[in-house]
PDB file of all heavy atoms in Angstrom:
ATOM      1  N   PHE A  52       0.575  20.895  16.073  1.00  0.00           N
ATOM      2  CA  PHE A  52       0.131  20.195  17.272  1.00  0.00           C
ATOM      3  C   PHE A  52      -1.093  19.338  16.911  1.00  0.00           C
ATOM      4  O   PHE A  52      -2.167  19.854  16.636  1.00  0.00           O
ATOM      5  CB  PHE A  52      -0.244  21.213  18.346  1.00  0.00           C
ATOM      6  CG  PHE A  52      -0.355  20.651  19.733  1.00  0.00           C
ATOM      7  CD1 PHE A  52       0.779  20.330  20.459  1.00  0.00           C
ATOM      8  CD2 PHE A  52      -1.600  20.474  20.324  1.00  0.00           C
ATOM      9  CE1 PHE A  52       0.681  19.834  21.749  1.00  0.00           C
ATOM     10  CE2 PHE A  52      -1.705  19.979  21.613  1.00  0.00           C
ATOM     11  CZ  PHE A  52      -0.565  19.657  22.324  1.00  0.00           C
ATOM     12  N   PHE A 102      12.385  16.681  20.466  1.00  0.00           N
ATOM     13  CA  PHE A 102      13.243  17.517  19.626  1.00  0.00           C
ATOM     14  C   PHE A 102      14.713  17.220  19.907  1.00  0.00           C
ATOM     15  O   PHE A 102      15.539  17.107  18.981  1.00  0.00           O
ATOM     16  CB  PHE A 102      12.960  19.000  19.886  1.00  0.00           C
ATOM     17  CG  PHE A 102      12.106  19.654  18.837  1.00  0.00           C
ATOM     18  CD1 PHE A 102      10.916  20.269  19.177  1.00  0.00           C
ATOM     19  CD2 PHE A 102      12.485  19.662  17.496  1.00  0.00           C
ATOM     20  CE1 PHE A 102      10.115  20.876  18.222  1.00  0.00           C
ATOM     21  CE2 PHE A 102      11.704  20.268  16.527  1.00  0.00           C
ATOM     22  CZ  PHE A 102      10.515  20.882  16.889  1.00  0.00           C
ATOM     23  N   GLY A 124       9.779  24.268  14.437  1.00  0.00           N
ATOM     24  CA  GLY A 124       8.552  23.872  15.116  1.00  0.00           C
ATOM     25  C   GLY A 124       7.381  24.630  14.512  1.00  0.00           C
ATOM     26  O   GLY A 124       7.424  25.854  14.383  1.00  0.00           O
ATOM     27  N   ILE A 125       6.351  23.910  14.129  1.00  0.00           N
ATOM     28  CA  ILE A 125       5.180  24.500  13.481  1.00  0.00           C
ATOM     29  C   ILE A 125       4.005  24.452  14.442  1.00  0.00           C
ATOM     30  O   ILE A 125       3.788  23.448  15.127  1.00  0.00           O
ATOM     31  CB  ILE A 125       4.834  23.732  12.185  1.00  0.00           C
ATOM     32  CG1 ILE A 125       6.063  23.607  11.287  1.00  0.00           C
ATOM     33  CG2 ILE A 125       3.695  24.417  11.430  1.00  0.00           C
ATOM     34  CD1 ILE A 125       5.922  22.531  10.214  1.00  0.00           C
ATOM     35  N   CYS A 126       3.246  25.543  14.521  1.00  0.00           N
ATOM     36  CA  CYS A 126       2.060  25.637  15.377  1.00  0.00           C
ATOM     37  C   CYS A 126       2.462  25.337  16.829  1.00  0.00           C
ATOM     38  O   CYS A 126       3.377  25.943  17.354  1.00  0.00           O
ATOM     39  CB  CYS A 126       0.970  24.703  14.845  1.00  0.00           C
ATOM     40  SG  CYS A 126      -0.616  24.772  15.702  1.00  0.00           S
ATOM     41  N   GLY A 127       1.804  24.394  17.490  1.00  0.00           N
ATOM     42  CA  GLY A 127       2.114  24.101  18.883  1.00  0.00           C
ATOM     43  C   GLY A 127       3.530  23.620  19.100  1.00  0.00           C
ATOM     44  O   GLY A 127       4.076  23.764  20.204  1.00  0.00           O
ATOM     45  N   TRP A 128       4.147  23.073  18.073  1.00  0.00           N
ATOM     46  CA  TRP A 128       5.537  22.646  18.225  1.00  0.00           C
ATOM     47  C   TRP A 128       6.503  23.798  18.033  1.00  0.00           C
ATOM     48  O   TRP A 128       7.698  23.652  18.258  1.00  0.00           O
ATOM     49  CB  TRP A 128       5.843  21.462  17.299  1.00  0.00           C
ATOM     50  CG  TRP A 128       5.894  20.218  18.120  1.00  0.00           C
ATOM     51  CD1 TRP A 128       7.010  19.616  18.604  1.00  0.00           C
ATOM     52  CD2 TRP A 128       4.790  19.480  18.637  1.00  0.00           C
ATOM     53  NE1 TRP A 128       6.677  18.538  19.393  1.00  0.00           N
ATOM     54  CE2 TRP A 128       5.308  18.427  19.415  1.00  0.00           C
ATOM     55  CE3 TRP A 128       3.412  19.587  18.522  1.00  0.00           C
ATOM     56  CZ2 TRP A 128       4.514  17.510  20.066  1.00  0.00           C
ATOM     57  CZ3 TRP A 128       2.612  18.663  19.162  1.00  0.00           C
ATOM     58  CH2 TRP A 128       3.157  17.646  19.929  1.00  0.00           C
ATOM     59  N   GLY A 129       5.996  24.996  17.695  1.00  0.00           N
ATOM     60  CA  GLY A 129       6.823  26.189  17.724  1.00  0.00           C
ATOM     61  C   GLY A 129       7.248  26.517  19.139  1.00  0.00           C
ATOM     62  O   GLY A 129       8.413  26.836  19.403  1.00  0.00           O
ATOM     63  N   GLY A 130       6.316  26.425  20.084  1.00  0.00           N
ATOM     64  CA  GLY A 130       6.643  26.647  21.490  1.00  0.00           C
ATOM     65  C   GLY A 130       7.582  25.583  22.024  1.00  0.00           C
ATOM     66  O   GLY A 130       8.507  25.879  22.789  1.00  0.00           O
ATOM     67  N   ALA A 132       9.734  23.969  20.243  1.00  0.00           N
ATOM     68  CA  ALA A 132      11.039  24.217  19.630  1.00  0.00           C
ATOM     69  C   ALA A 132      11.797  25.299  20.397  1.00  0.00           C
ATOM     70  O   ALA A 132      13.008  25.176  20.635  1.00  0.00           O
ATOM     71  CB  ALA A 132      10.869  24.621  18.169  1.00  0.00           C
TER      72      ALA A 132
END
Side-chain angles (χ1 to χ4, degrees):
F52 196 75
F102 258 123
I125 308 163
C126 184
W128 256 262

